[in-house]
Amino acid sequence: MSATSIAAESPTRRAIHRFLRHRLAVFGLVIVVLFIAVAILAPLIAPHDPLQTSWSRIRKEPSWAHWMGTDENGRDVLSRVIWGARASLMAGVISVLGALIMGVPLGLLAGLAGGWVDAVVSRIADAMLSVPFLILAIALAAFLGPALENAMLAIAITASPVFVRLARGMALDAKSTDWVEAARALGNPPWRIAFVHVLPNIIPPLLVQATLAIAEAIIAEAALSFLGLGMQPPNPSWGSMLNSSQRFLTQAPWLSIFPGVTIMIVVLAFNLMGDGLRDALDPRADKK
């Protein structure tokens, strides 16, 4: 492809081409799409009922009948891993969407309004960021009560300061640009400047941060479920499966290996995809 044709391409097409050249990012995308399909098609592809118990097949080793073995209640581990993908992916995506909805408007408000509004929002965000992510999520989930919905809310609140800081920084950069000054001179209200003129220009970094945040949210959901603050038994969740398997690490190691490896693969895939998006959406990439 010639330099002239590359220059004539739209920024979106150039970003897609850069992403597709990033082999690890494409691999991560394929894994993420595969797990999303597994979560959606769980009722069709799960070989057994994930809640069905059987006293005759307690802690059976992996076999042709049960590819990942059975757990302490005779339930098929593979079916529970497949259904657990729904809880983990839903928690990751919905939590990050909630963090975006809470964090981005506050960040735009702080960056464009300035003054005491910026000071208050920034100090609250800094105070929340000073506490380790998982510790704050556990504290909020414990306060709200054990349930997957409360765990997702706790993760969303805990993840929102990152988006507040990112949106505020981008808004401060855009605040002094000519096109924002022109929009202000034309009489556009502040909300229109924020959501029509500033927000579309900060979507690429928000998209990258959201992709990486989903991986962190999946780990947080697994940790909360492991502690009994997320998905409640007997409903399957990767974190709750790890919790129930800790008593049988020596007798039945497959109970912890399969959900643990699944969490690792999904988190790695989201991180690879986020790294690829960051490189693909970097406006300086064309100059390298």
Side-chain angles (χ1 to χ4, degrees):
M1 186 178 292
S2 64
T4 304
S5 61
I6 294 176
E9 284 186 323
S10 66
T12 302
R13 289 177 63 88
R14 289 200 299 271
I16 293 175
H17 288 159
R18 288 195 295 267
F19 182 85
L20 294 178
R21 288 197 298 267
H22 199 302
R23 294 183 180 179
L24 288 177
V26 174
F27 173 75
L29 176 62
V30 171
I31 296 299
V32 168
V33 171
L34 176 62
F35 271 93
I36 291 174
V38 167
I40 294 174
L41 300 175
L44 300 177
I45 63 177
H48 301 277
D49 184 346
L51 304 180
Q52 183 179 6
T53 60
S54 174
W55 299 114
S56 63
R57 59 186 190 203
I58 292 176
R59 296 200 303 274
K60 296 294 184 181
E61 295 182 357
S63 62
W64 286 113
H66 302 281
W67 290 4
M68 293 186 180
T70 59
D71 64 7
E72 71 279 7
N73 292 312
R75 297 171 297 197
D76 183 64
V77 174
L78 174 59
S79 300
R80 291 181 65 79
V81 168
I82 291 173
W83 278 90
R86 282 193 167 189
S88 295
L89 293 178
M90 183 174 64
V93 173
I94 294 179
S95 298
V96 172
L97 284 176
L100 282 167
I101 292 173
M102 289 186 284
V104 173
L106 286 175
L108 291 175
L109 175 64
L112 295 177
W116 67 268
V117 175
D118 185 18
V120 171
V121 173
S122 298
R123 296 297 78 78
I124 294 175
D126 291 341
M128 294 179 67
L129 288 171
S130 67
V131 182
F133 176 83
L134 195 54
I135 299 299
L136 184 57
I138 292 173
L140 289 174
F143 174 76
L144 295 172
L148 181 61
E149 296 78 8
N150 292 338
M152 290 190 291
L153 178 59
I155 296 170
I157 294 173
T158 307
S160 61
V162 175
F163 294 101
V164 170
R165 176 175 286 184
L166 179 60
R168 174 184 176 274
M170 300 297 292
L172 288 174
D173 291 339
K175 188 176 181 180
S176 58
T177 58
D178 294 337
W179 45 273
V180 171
E181 292 292 341
R184 187 179 292 110
L186 290 173
N188 287 281
W191 66 266
R192 182 176 178 83
I193 294 175
F195 290 101
V196 176
H197 298 282
V198 177
L199 181 59
N201 291 279
I202 67 174
I203 286 179
L206 288 175
L207 181 61
V208 173
Q209 183 59 45
T211 304
L212 298 174
I214 290 175
E216 192 172 12
I218 290 174
I219 295 177
E221 185 277 330
L224 293 176
S225 295
F226 180 84
L227 296 173
L229 298 172
M231 179 70 81
Q232 297 300 297
N235 295 315
S237 168
W238 295 338
S240 61
M241 291 175 68
L242 288 175
N243 181 24
S244 61
S245 68
Q246 62 181 328
R247 297 172 293 166
F248 311 104
L249 291 178
T250 56
Q251 302 98 323
W254 60 87
L255 296 181
S256 58
I257 290 175
F258 290 116
V261 170
T262 304
I263 293 172
M264 181 191 70
I265 292 174
V266 173
V267 170
L268 177 62
F270 272 106
N271 282 325
L272 290 175
M273 190 172 69
D275 290 340
L277 282 174
R278 181 181 57 200
D279 296 339
L281 297 174
D282 187 355
R284 298 169 296 181
D286 294 327
K287 301 178 183 179
K288 297 178 181 180

